[in-house]
Amino acid sequence: MKLRKVTAASAAVLALSLAATACGSDDKKDDSGSSGGSKKITIGIKFDQPGIGQKTPQGYTGFDVDVATYVAGKLGYSEDQIEWKESKSADRETMLKRGDVDFIAASYSITPEREQLVDFAGPYLLAHQDVLIRADDNSIKAPADLNSKKLCSVTGSTSAQNVKDKLAPKAQLQEYPTYSACLTGLQNAAIDALTTDDSILAGYAAQSQFKGKFKLAGLKMTNENYGIGVKKGSDLKDKINKALEEMVSDGSWQKVVDSNFGPANYKNEPAPKIGDIKS
């Protein structure tokens, strides 16, 4: 009888021990960020924009990549815990809604239409629509100077259409399939100017093969407030905003601006304040 009592007591202790171990195991899984896997964060970027977000044989480079890496670090993730996913412009809202990514940093301009679908942290960069011209061209100093010029952008670009419709209606718009094709045309004088966001233009002009060949006209034709997109209602928004503020205050923001855009003599705007959207 005594033996049975001891055995029952031991069984009870063992059961409690196993339960505690199981609870500890579950907590550990939660901390890891995945069921039994290593902790990771998935971030959407552009794969084809030099200076902004580009996939190379050596890895991922660009201003957005550097900003996203810094933010991820403040959220508790090291570089080897980041999974990068290509976020093409037309896919960004869908990727966030489906949960394909935790956040997106991909030259993602904050607009009222997009704010209906996703939330934005930032802005973290104020860019402007501008034109890239040959380094020896001094004929384009204002949007009106684009009249009768051969203007290039990628097929379907709203930037080129904006210049043609509103700012320089006599511009000769030529649509090429890629920015690289436009740059080739600009280099051999088949076109006079390439238009899109100045940050994107600076990224291309900063490539070593184009050093000293192009320059930004500095027209600042529109305001483009780059934000970090998150799923609607996500608590990541406030955490990312805090990280962005720290990035500016500790000098890291200016360092990545200089390293990614500096070779193109990009005259960047000061770091914008969180929530300050320039129309």
Side-chain angles (χ1 to χ4, degrees), residues 93-185:
E93 289 81 23
T94 301
M95 292 179 72
L96 288 169
K97 282 184 178 180
R98 286 195 312 228
D100 296 341
V101 291
D102 293 293
F103 67 80
I104 290 178
S107 55
Y108 202 0
S109 295
I110 302 171
T111 67
E113 295 78 15
R114 289 170 178 165
E115 287 183 303
Q116 297 298 313
L117 303 172
V118 301
D119 285 341
F120 285 98
Y124 63 93
L125 182 73
L126 176 59
H128 304 283
Q129 185 182 339
D130 200 354
V131 294
L132 192 69
I133 55 180
R134 288 182 291 279
D136 60 356
D137 185 353
N138 297 310
S139 67
I140 300 175
K141 298 179 180 179
D145 294 333
L146 294 170
N147 284 311
S148 301
K149 296 285 188 179
K150 295 177 181 177
L151 181 66
C152 181
S153 196
V154 295
T155 303
S157 166
T158 54
S159 297
Q161 205 61 43
N162 185 44
V163 172
K164 187 173 174 62
D165 292 346
K166 301 175 183 178
L167 300 169
K170 294 182 181 179
Q172 300 174 38
L173 175 62
Q174 298 187 24
E175 294 181 288
Y176 287 13
T178 65
Y179 288 121
S180 296
C182 283
L183 282 167
T184 300

Coordinates of all heavy atoms in Angstrom, one line a residue, residues 93-185:
E93 N 1.1 46.2 -52.3 CA 0.0 46.1 -51.4 C -0.5 44.7 -51.2 O -0.8 44.3 -50.1 CB -1.2 47.0 -52.0 CG -1.0 48.4 -51.9 CD -0.1 49.0 -53.0 OE1 0.0 48.3 -54.1 OE2 0.5 50.1 -52.8
T94 N -0.5 43.9 -52.3 CA -0.9 42.5 -52.2 C 0.0 41.7 -51.3 O -0.5 40.9 -50.5 CB -1.0 41.8 -53.6 OG1 -1.9 42.6 -54.4 CG2 -1.4 40.4 -53.5
M95 N 1.3 41.9 -51.4 CA 2.3 41.2 -50.6 C 2.1 41.5 -49.1 O 2.2 40.6 -48.2 CB 3.7 41.5 -51.0 CG 4.1 41.1 -52.4 SD 5.7 41.5 -52.9 CE 6.7 40.4 -51.8
L96 N 1.8 42.7 -48.8 CA 1.5 43.1 -47.4 C 0.2 42.5 -46.9 O 0.2 42.0 -45.7 CB 1.5 44.6 -47.2 CG 2.9 45.3 -47.3 CD1 2.7 46.8 -47.4 CD2 3.8 44.9 -46.2
K97 N -0.8 42.6 -47.7 CA -2.1 42.0 -47.3 C -2.0 40.5 -47.0 O -2.6 40.0 -46.0 CB -3.2 42.3 -48.3 CG -3.7 43.7 -48.4 CD -4.8 43.8 -49.4 CE -5.4 45.2 -49.4 NZ -6.5 45.3 -50.4
R98 N -1.3 39.8 -47.9 CA -1.2 38.3 -47.7 C -0.2 37.9 -46.6 O -0.2 36.7 -46.2 CB -0.7 37.7 -49.1 CG -1.8 37.7 -50.1 CD -1.3 36.8 -51.3 NE 0.0 37.0 -51.7 CZ 0.4 37.1 -53.0 NH1 -0.5 37.1 -54.0 NH2 1.7 37.3 -53.3
G99 N 0.6 38.9 -46.2 CA 1.6 38.5 -45.1 C 2.8 37.9 -45.7 O 3.5 37.2 -45.0
D100 N 3.1 38.1 -47.0 CA 4.2 37.5 -47.7 C 5.5 38.2 -47.1 O 6.6 37.5 -47.1 CB 4.2 37.8 -49.2 CG 3.1 37.1 -49.9 OD1 2.5 36.1 -49.3 OD2 2.7 37.5 -51.0
V101 N 5.4 39.4 -46.6 CA 6.5 40.1 -46.0 C 6.1 40.8 -44.7 O 4.9 41.0 -44.5 CB 7.1 41.2 -47.0 CG1 7.7 40.6 -48.2 CG2 6.0 42.1 -47.5
D102 N 7.1 41.1 -43.9 CA 6.7 41.8 -42.6 C 6.7 43.3 -42.9 O 5.8 44.0 -42.3 CB 7.8 41.5 -41.6 CG 7.7 40.1 -41.1 OD1 6.8 39.7 -40.5 OD2 8.7 39.3 -41.4
F103 N 7.6 43.8 -43.7 CA 7.5 45.2 -44.2 C 8.2 45.4 -45.5 O 8.9 44.5 -46.0 CB 8.0 46.2 -43.1 CG 9.5 46.2 -42.8 CD1 10.4 46.8 -43.6 CD2 9.9 45.5 -41.7 CE1 11.7 46.8 -43.4 CE2 11.3 45.5 -41.4 CZ 12.2 46.2 -42.2
I104 N 7.9 46.5 -46.2 CA 8.4 46.8 -47.5 C 9.1 48.1 -47.5 O 8.5 49.1 -47.1 CB 7.3 46.8 -48.6 CG1 6.8 45.3 -48.8 CG2 7.8 47.3 -49.9 CD1 5.7 45.2 -49.8
A105 N 10.4 48.1 -48.0 CA 11.1 49.4 -48.2 C 11.6 49.3 -49.6 O 12.6 48.7 -49.9 CB 12.3 49.5 -47.2
A106 N 10.8 49.9 -50.5 CA 11.1 49.8 -52.0 C 10.7 51.0 -52.8 O 9.8 51.0 -53.6 CB 10.4 48.5 -52.5
S107 N 11.4 52.1 -52.5 CA 11.1 53.4 -53.1 C 9.5 53.6 -53.2 O 9.0 53.9 -54.2 CB 11.7 53.5 -54.5 OG 11.3 52.5 -55.4
Y108 N 8.9 53.3 -52.0 CA 7.5 53.2 -51.8 C 6.9 54.6 -51.4 O 6.9 54.9 -50.2 CB 7.2 52.2 -50.8 CG 5.9 51.5 -50.8 CD1 4.9 51.8 -51.7 CD2 5.6 50.5 -49.8 CE1 3.7 51.2 -51.7 CE2 4.4 49.8 -49.8 CZ 3.4 50.2 -50.8 OH 2.2 49.5 -50.7
S109 N 6.4 55.4 -52.4 CA 5.9 56.7 -52.1 C 4.6 56.6 -51.3 O 3.7 55.8 -51.7 CB 5.7 57.5 -53.4 OG 6.9 57.7 -54.0
I110 N 4.5 57.4 -50.3 CA 3.2 57.4 -49.5 C 2.2 58.3 -50.2 O 2.4 59.4 -50.6 CB 3.5 58.1 -48.1 CG1 4.5 57.3 -47.4 CG2 2.2 58.1 -47.3 CD1 5.0 57.9 -46.1
T111 N 1.0 57.7 -50.6 CA 0.0 58.4 -51.2 C -1.3 58.1 -50.5 O -1.5 57.1 -49.9 CB -0.2 58.0 -52.7 OG1 -0.6 56.6 -52.8 CG2 1.2 58.1 -53.5
P112 N -2.3 59.0 -50.6 CA -3.6 58.8 -50.0 C -4.3 57.5 -50.4 O -4.9 56.8 -49.7 CB -4.5 60.0 -50.4 CG -3.5 61.1 -50.7 CD -2.3 60.4 -51.2
E113 N -4.1 57.2 -51.7 CA -4.7 55.9 -52.2 C -4.1 54.7 -51.6 O -4.8 53.8 -51.2 CB -4.5 55.9 -53.8 CG -5.3 57.0 -54.6 CD -4.6 58.3 -54.5 OE1 -3.4 58.4 -54.1 OE2 -5.2 59.3 -54.8
R114 N -2.8 54.7 -51.5 CA -2.1 53.6 -50.9 C -2.4 53.5 -49.4 O -2.4 52.4 -48.8 CB -0.6 53.7 -51.1 CG -0.2 53.4 -52.6 CD 1.2 53.7 -52.8 NE 1.6 53.4 -54.2 CZ 2.7 53.9 -54.8 NH1 3.5 54.7 -54.2 NH2 2.9 53.6 -56.1
E115 N -2.6 54.6 -48.7 CA -2.9 54.6 -47.3 C -4.2 54.0 -46.9 O -4.5 53.7 -45.8 CB -2.8 56.0 -46.7 CG -1.3 56.5 -46.6 CD -1.3 57.9 -46.0 OE1 -1.9 58.8 -46.5 OE2 -0.6 58.1 -45.0
Q116 N -5.1 53.9 -48.0 CA -6.4 53.2 -47.7 C -6.2 51.7 -47.6 O -7.0 51.0 -47.1 CB -7.3 53.5 -48.9 CG -7.7 54.9 -49.1 CD -8.5 55.4 -47.9 OE1 -9.4 54.8 -47.4 NE2 -8.1 56.6 -47.4
L117 N -5.0 51.2 -48.2 CA -4.8 49.7 -48.3 C -3.7 49.2 -47.3 O -3.8 48.1 -46.8 CB -4.3 49.4 -49.7 CG -5.3 49.8 -50.8 CD1 -4.7 49.6 -52.2 CD2 -6.6 49.0 -50.7
V118 N -2.7 50.1 -47.0 CA -1.7 49.6 -46.1 C -1.3 50.8 -45.2 O -1.7 51.9 -45.4 CB -0.4 49.2 -46.9 CG1 -0.7 48.0 -47.8 CG2 0.2 50.4 -47.6
D119 N -0.5 50.5 -44.1 CA 0.0 51.6 -43.2 C 1.4 51.9 -43.6 O 2.1 51.0 -44.1 CB -0.1 51.1 -41.8 CG -1.5 51.2 -41.2 OD1 -2.4 51.9 -41.8 OD2 -1.8 50.5 -40.2
F120 N 1.8 53.1 -43.3 CA 3.2 53.5 -43.6 C 3.9 54.0 -42.4 O 3.4 54.9 -41.6 CB 3.2 54.6 -44.7 CG 3.0 54.2 -46.1 CD1 1.7 54.3 -46.6 CD2 4.0 53.6 -46.8 CE1 1.4 53.9 -47.9 CE2 3.7 53.2 -48.1 CZ 2.5 53.3 -48.7
A121 N 5.1 53.6 -42.2 CA 6.0 54.2 -41.2 C 6.9 55.2 -42.0 O 7.1 55.1 -43.2 CB 7.0 53.2 -40.6
G122 N 7.3 56.3 -41.4 CA 8.1 57.3 -42.0 C 7.3 58.6 -42.2 O 6.4 58.9 -41.5
P123 N 7.7 59.3 -43.2 CA 8.7 59.0 -44.3 C 10.1 59.0 -43.8 O 10.5 59.6 -42.8 CB 8.4 60.1 -45.3 CG 8.0 61.3 -44.5 CD 7.2 60.7 -43.4
Y124 N 11.0 58.3 -44.6 CA 12.4 58.3 -44.3 C 13.3 58.9 -45.4 O 14.5 59.0 -45.3 CB 12.9 56.8 -44.0 CG 12.7 55.9 -45.2 CD1 13.8 55.7 -46.1 CD2 11.6 55.2 -45.5 CE1 13.7 54.9 -47.2 CE2 11.4 54.4 -46.6 CZ 12.5 54.2 -47.4 OH 12.4 53.4 -48.5
L125 N 12.6 59.4 -46.5 CA 13.4 60.1 -47.5 C 12.3 60.9 -48.3 O 11.3 60.4 -48.7 CB 14.1 59.1 -48.5 CG 14.9 59.8 -49.6 CD1 16.2 60.4 -49.0 CD2 15.3 58.8 -50.7
L126 N 12.7 62.2 -48.6 CA 11.9 63.0 -49.5 C 12.6 63.1 -50.8 O 13.7 63.7 -50.9 CB 11.7 64.4 -48.9 CG 10.9 65.4 -49.7 CD1 9.5 64.9 -50.1 CD2 10.9 66.8 -49.1
A127 N 12.1 62.5 -51.8 CA 12.7 62.5 -53.1 C 11.8 63.4 -54.0 O 10.7 63.9 -53.6 CB 12.7 61.1 -53.7
H128 N 12.3 63.7 -55.2 CA 11.6 64.6 -56.1 C 11.7 64.0 -57.5 O 12.7 63.4 -57.9 CB 12.2 66.0 -56.1 CG 12.2 66.6 -54.8 ND1 11.1 67.2 -54.2 CD2 13.2 66.8 -53.9 CE1 11.4 67.7 -53.0 NE2 12.7 67.5 -52.8
Q129 N 10.7 64.2 -58.3 CA 10.8 63.9 -59.8 C 11.8 64.8 -60.4 O 11.8 66.0 -60.2 CB 9.5 64.0 -60.5 CG 9.6 63.5 -62.0 CD 8.3 63.6 -62.7 OE1 7.3 63.7 -62.1 NE2 8.4 63.7 -64.0
D130 N 12.8 64.3 -61.1 CA 13.8 65.1 -61.7 C 14.2 64.5 -63.1 O 13.6 63.5 -63.5 CB 15.1 65.1 -60.8 CG 16.0 66.3 -61.1 OD1 15.8 67.0 -62.0 OD2 17.0 66.4 -60.3
V131 N 15.2 65.1 -63.7 CA 15.7 64.5 -65.0 C 17.2 64.3 -64.9 O 17.9 65.1 -64.2 CB 15.4 65.4 -66.2 CG1 13.9 65.4 -66.4 CG2 15.9 66.8 -66.1
L132 N 17.7 63.3 -65.5 CA 19.1 63.0 -65.6 C 19.5 63.4 -67.0 O 18.9 63.1 -68.0 CB 19.4 61.5 -65.4 CG 20.9 61.1 -65.2 CD1 21.4 61.6 -63.8 CD2 21.0 59.6 -65.3
I133 N 20.6 64.2 -67.1 CA 21.1 64.6 -68.4 C 22.6 64.4 -68.5 O 23.3 64.0 -67.5 CB 20.8 66.2 -68.5 CG1 21.4 66.9 -67.3 CG2 19.3 66.4 -68.7 CD1 21.2 68.5 -67.4
R134 N 23.2 64.6 -69.6 CA 24.6 64.4 -69.8 C 25.4 65.5 -69.0 O 24.9 66.6 -68.9 CB 25.0 64.4 -71.3 CG 24.5 63.2 -72.1 CD 25.0 63.2 -73.5 NE 24.2 64.3 -74.3 CZ 23.0 64.1 -74.7 NH1 22.3 62.9 -74.6 NH2 22.4 65.1 -75.4
A135 N 26.5 65.1 -68.6 CA 27.3 66.0 -67.7 C 27.7 67.3 -68.4 O 27.8 68.4 -67.7 CB 28.6 65.3 -67.2
D136 N 27.8 67.3 -69.7 CA 28.2 68.6 -70.4 C 27.0 69.3 -70.9 O 27.1 70.3 -71.7 CB 29.1 68.2 -71.6 CG 28.4 67.3 -72.6 OD1 27.3 66.8 -72.4 OD2 29.1 67.0 -73.7
D137 N 25.7 68.9 -70.6 CA 24.5 69.6 -71.0 C 24.1 70.7 -70.0 O 23.8 70.4 -68.9 CB 23.4 68.6 -71.2 CG 22.1 69.2 -71.8 OD1 22.1 70.4 -72.0 OD2 21.2 68.4 -72.1
N138 N 24.1 71.9 -70.5 CA 23.7 73.0 -69.6 C 22.4 73.7 -70.1 O 22.1 74.8 -69.7 CB 24.8 74.1 -69.5 CG 26.1 73.5 -68.9 OD1 26.0 72.9 -67.8 ND2 27.2 73.7 -69.5
S139 N 21.7 73.0 -71.0 CA 20.5 73.6 -71.6 C 19.2 73.4 -70.9 O 18.2 74.0 -71.2 CB 20.3 73.0 -73.0 OG 20.0 71.7 -73.0
I140 N 19.2 72.5 -69.8 CA 18.0 72.2 -69.1 C 18.2 72.7 -67.7 O 18.8 72.0 -66.8 CB 17.7 70.7 -69.1 CG1 17.5 70.2 -70.6 CG2 16.4 70.4 -68.3 CD1 17.3 68.7 -70.7
K141 N 17.5 73.8 -67.4 CA 17.6 74.4 -66.0 C 16.2 74.6 -65.4 O 16.1 74.9 -64.2 CB 18.3 75.7 -66.1 CG 19.7 75.6 -66.6 CD 20.4 76.9 -66.7 CE 21.9 76.8 -67.2 NZ 22.6 78.1 -67.3
A142 N 15.1 74.3 -66.2 CA 13.8 74.4 -65.7 C 12.9 73.4 -66.4 O 13.3 73.0 -67.6 CB 13.3 75.8 -65.9
P143 N 11.8 73.0 -65.9 CA 10.9 72.0 -66.6 C 10.5 72.5 -68.0 O 10.5 71.7 -68.9 CB 9.7 72.0 -65.7 CG 10.2 72.3 -64.3 CD 11.3 73.3 -64.5
A144 N 10.3 73.8 -68.2 CA 10.0 74.3 -69.5 C 11.0 74.0 -70.6 O 10.8 73.9 -71.8 CB 9.6 75.8 -69.4
D145 N 12.3 73.9 -70.1 CA 13.4 73.7 -71.0 C 13.3 72.3 -71.7 O 14.0 72.0 -72.6 CB 14.7 73.8 -70.3 CG 15.0 75.2 -69.9 OD1 14.5 76.2 -70.5 OD2 15.7 75.4 -68.9
L146 N 12.4 71.4 -71.1 CA 12.3 70.1 -71.7 C 11.4 70.1 -72.9 O 11.4 69.1 -73.7 CB 11.6 69.1 -70.6 CG 12.5 68.8 -69.4 CD1 11.7 68.1 -68.3 CD2 13.7 68.0 -69.8
N147 N 10.7 71.2 -73.2 CA 9.9 71.3 -74.4 C 10.8 71.1 -75.6 O 11.9 71.7 -75.7 CB 9.3 72.7 -74.5 CG 8.1 72.8 -73.6 OD1 7.2 71.9 -73.6 ND2 8.0 73.9 -72.8
S148 N 10.3 70.3 -76.5 CA 11.0 69.9 -77.8 C 12.3 69.0 -77.5 O 13.0 68.7 -78.5 CB 11.5 71.2 -78.6 OG 10.3 71.9 -78.9
K149 N 12.5 68.7 -76.3 CA 13.6 67.7 -76.0 C 13.1 66.3 -76.1 O 11.9 66.0 -76.0 CB 14.2 68.0 -74.6 CG 14.8 69.3 -74.3 CD 16.2 69.4 -75.0 CE 16.9 70.7 -74.6 NZ 18.2 70.8 -75.2
K150 N 14.0 65.4 -76.3 CA 13.7 64.0 -76.3 C 13.8 63.4 -74.9 O 14.9 63.3 -74.4 CB 14.6 63.2 -77.3 CG 14.5 63.6 -78.7 CD 15.5 62.8 -79.6 CE 15.3 63.3 -81.1 NZ 16.4 62.6 -81.9
L151 N 12.6 63.1 -74.4 CA 12.5 62.7 -73.0 C 12.3 61.2 -72.9 O 11.4 60.7 -73.6 CB 11.4 63.5 -72.3 CG 11.1 63.2 -70.8 CD1 12.3 63.7 -70.0 CD2 9.8 63.9 -70.4
C152 N 13.0 60.5 -72.0 CA 12.9 59.1 -71.9 C 12.5 58.6 -70.5 O 12.9 59.2 -69.5 CB 14.2 58.4 -72.3 SG 14.2 56.6 -72.2
S153 N 11.7 57.6 -70.4 CA 11.4 56.9 -69.2 C 11.0 55.5 -69.5 O 10.8 55.1 -70.7 CB 10.3 57.6 -68.3 OG 10.4 57.1 -67.0
V154 N 10.7 54.7 -68.5 CA 10.3 53.3 -68.8 C 8.9 53.3 -69.3 O 8.1 54.2 -69.0 CB 10.5 52.4 -67.6 CG1 12.0 52.2 -67.2 CG2 9.7 52.9 -66.4
T155 N 8.5 52.2 -70.0 CA 7.2 52.1 -70.6 C 6.1 52.2 -69.5 O 6.2 51.5 -68.5 CB 7.1 50.7 -71.3 OG1 8.1 50.6 -72.3 CG2 5.7 50.6 -71.9
G156 N 5.2 53.1 -69.7 CA 4.1 53.3 -68.7 C 4.4 54.2 -67.6 O 3.6 54.3 -66.6
S157 N 5.5 54.8 -67.6 CA 5.9 55.7 -66.5 C 5.0 56.9 -66.3 O 4.7 57.6 -67.3 CB 7.4 56.2 -66.7 OG 7.7 57.2 -65.9
T158 N 4.5 57.1 -65.1 CA 3.7 58.3 -64.8 C 4.6 59.5 -64.7 O 4.2 60.6 -65.0 CB 3.0 58.1 -63.5 OG1 3.9 57.8 -62.5 CG2 1.9 57.0 -63.6
S159 N 5.9 59.3 -64.4 CA 6.8 60.5 -64.3 C 7.0 61.2 -65.6 O 6.9 62.4 -65.7 CB 8.2 60.0 -63.8 OG 8.1 59.5 -62.5
A160 N 7.2 60.4 -66.7 CA 7.4 61.0 -68.0 C 6.1 61.6 -68.5 O 6.1 62.7 -69.0 CB 7.8 59.9 -69.0
Q161 N 4.9 61.0 -68.2 CA 3.7 61.5 -68.6 C 3.3 62.8 -67.9 O 2.7 63.7 -68.5 CB 2.5 60.5 -68.4 CG 1.3 60.6 -69.3 CD 1.7 60.5 -70.8 OE1 2.4 59.6 -71.2 NE2 1.2 61.4 -71.6
N162 N 3.8 62.9 -66.7 CA 3.5 64.1 -65.9 C 4.2 65.3 -66.5 O 3.7 66.4 -66.6 CB 4.0 63.9 -64.4 CG 3.7 65.1 -63.5 OD1 2.6 65.6 -63.6 ND2 4.7 65.5 -62.7
V163 N 5.5 65.1 -66.9 CA 6.2 66.1 -67.6 C 5.5 66.5 -68.9 O 5.4 67.7 -69.2 CB 7.7 65.7 -67.8 CG1 8.4 66.8 -68.7 CG2 8.4 65.6 -66.5
K164 N 5.2 65.5 -69.7 CA 4.6 65.7 -71.0 C 3.2 66.5 -70.9 O 2.9 67.4 -71.7 CB 4.4 64.4 -71.7 CG 4.0 64.6 -73.2 CD 4.0 63.2 -73.9 CE 3.5 63.3 -75.3 NZ 4.2 64.2 -76.1
D165 N 2.4 66.1 -69.9 CA 1.1 66.6 -69.8 C 1.0 68.0 -69.1 O 0.2 68.8 -69.5 CB 0.1 65.6 -69.1 CG -0.1 64.4 -69.8 OD1 0.2 64.3 -71.1 OD2 -0.6 63.4 -69.2
K166 N 1.8 68.1 -68.1 CA 1.7 69.3 -67.3 C 2.9 70.3 -67.3 O 2.7 71.5 -67.4 CB 1.5 68.9 -65.8 CG 0.3 68.0 -65.5 CD 0.3 67.5 -64.1 CE -0.8 66.6 -63.8 NZ -0.8 66.1 -62.4
L167 N 4.1 69.8 -67.4 CA 5.2 70.7 -67.2 C 5.9 71.1 -68.5 O 6.5 72.2 -68.6 CB 6.2 70.0 -66.2 CG 5.7 69.7 -64.8 CD1 6.6 68.8 -64.0 CD2 5.4 71.0 -64.1
A168 N 6.0 70.2 -69.4 CA 6.6 70.4 -70.7 C 5.9 69.7 -71.8 O 6.3 68.7 -72.3 CB 8.1 70.0 -70.7
P169 N 4.7 70.2 -72.2 CA 3.8 69.4 -73.1 C 4.4 69.2 -74.5 O 3.9 68.4 -75.2 CB 2.6 70.3 -73.2 CG 3.0 71.7 -72.7 CD 4.1 71.4 -71.7
K170 N 5.4 70.0 -74.9 CA 6.1 69.8 -76.2 C 7.3 68.8 -76.1 O 7.9 68.6 -77.2 CB 6.5 71.1 -76.7 CG 5.3 72.1 -77.0 CD 5.8 73.4 -77.6 CE 4.6 74.3 -77.9 NZ 5.1 75.6 -78.5
A171 N 7.5 68.2 -75.0 CA 8.6 67.3 -74.9 C 8.3 66.0 -75.8 O 7.1 65.6 -75.9 CB 8.8 66.8 -73.5
Q172 N 9.3 65.5 -76.4 CA 9.1 64.3 -77.2 C 9.3 63.0 -76.3 O 10.5 62.7 -76.1 CB 10.1 64.3 -78.4 CG 9.9 65.5 -79.3 CD 11.0 65.6 -80.4 OE1 11.4 64.6 -80.9 NE2 11.5 66.8 -80.7
L173 N 8.3 62.4 -75.9 CA 8.4 61.3 -75.0 C 8.7 60.0 -75.7 O 8.1 59.6 -76.7 CB 7.0 61.1 -74.3 CG 7.0 59.9 -73.3 CD1 8.0 60.0 -72.2 CD2 5.5 59.8 -72.8
Q174 N 9.8 59.4 -75.3 CA 10.2 58.1 -75.8 C 10.2 57.1 -74.6 O 10.8 57.3 -73.6 CB 11.5 58.1 -76.5 CG 11.6 59.0 -77.7 CD 12.9 59.0 -78.4 OE1 13.6 58.0 -78.3 NE2 13.2 60.0 -79.1
E175 N 9.5 56.0 -74.8 CA 9.4 55.0 -73.7 C 10.3 53.8 -74.0 O 10.1 53.1 -75.1 CB 7.9 54.6 -73.5 CG 7.0 55.7 -73.0 CD 5.6 55.2 -72.7 OE1 4.9 55.0 -73.7 OE2 5.2 55.1 -71.6
Y176 N 11.2 53.5 -73.2 CA 12.1 52.3 -73.3 C 11.7 51.3 -72.3 O 11.1 51.6 -71.2 CB 13.5 52.8 -73.1 CG 14.1 53.6 -74.2 CD1 13.4 54.1 -75.2 CD2 15.5 53.8 -74.2 CE1 14.0 54.9 -76.2 CE2 16.1 54.5 -75.2 CZ 15.3 55.1 -76.2 OH 15.9 55.8 -77.2
P177 N 12.0 50.0 -72.5 CA 11.6 49.0 -71.6 C 12.3 49.0 -70.2 O 11.7 48.6 -69.2 CB 12.0 47.7 -72.3 CG 13.0 48.1 -73.3 CD 12.7 49.5 -73.7
T178 N 13.5 49.6 -70.1 CA 14.2 49.6 -68.9 C 15.0 51.0 -68.7 O 15.2 51.7 -69.7 CB 15.3 48.5 -68.8 OG1 16.3 48.7 -69.8 CG2 14.7 47.1 -69.0
Y179 N 15.3 51.3 -67.5 CA 16.1 52.5 -67.2 C 17.5 52.4 -67.9 O 18.1 53.4 -68.3 CB 16.2 52.8 -65.7 CG 15.0 53.3 -65.1 CD1 14.4 52.6 -64.1 CD2 14.4 54.5 -65.5 CE1 13.2 53.0 -63.4 CE2 13.2 54.9 -64.9 CZ 12.6 54.2 -63.9 OH 11.5 54.6 -63.3
S180 N 18.0 51.2 -67.9 CA 19.3 50.9 -68.4 C 19.3 51.3 -69.9 O 20.3 51.9 -70.4 CB 19.8 49.5 -68.2 OG 19.9 49.2 -66.9
A181 N 18.2 50.9 -70.6 CA 18.1 51.3 -72.0 C 18.1 52.8 -72.2 O 18.7 53.3 -73.2 CB 16.9 50.6 -72.6
C182 N 17.4 53.5 -71.3 CA 17.3 54.9 -71.4 C 18.7 55.5 -71.2 O 19.1 56.5 -71.9 CB 16.4 55.5 -70.3 SG 14.6 55.3 -70.7
L183 N 19.5 55.0 -70.3 CA 20.8 55.5 -70.0 C 21.8 55.3 -71.2 O 22.6 56.2 -71.5 CB 21.4 54.7 -68.8 CG 21.0 55.2 -67.4 CD1 21.4 54.2 -66.3 CD2 21.5 56.6 -67.1
T184 N 21.6 54.2 -71.9 CA 22.4 54.0 -73.1 C 22.0 55.0 -74.2 O 22.9 55.6 -74.8 CB 22.1 52.6 -73.7 OG1 22.5 51.6 -72.7 CG2 22.9 52.3 -75.0
G185 N 20.7 55.3 -74.3 CA 20.3 56.3 -75.2 C 20.8 57.7 -74.8 O 21.1 58.5 -75.7

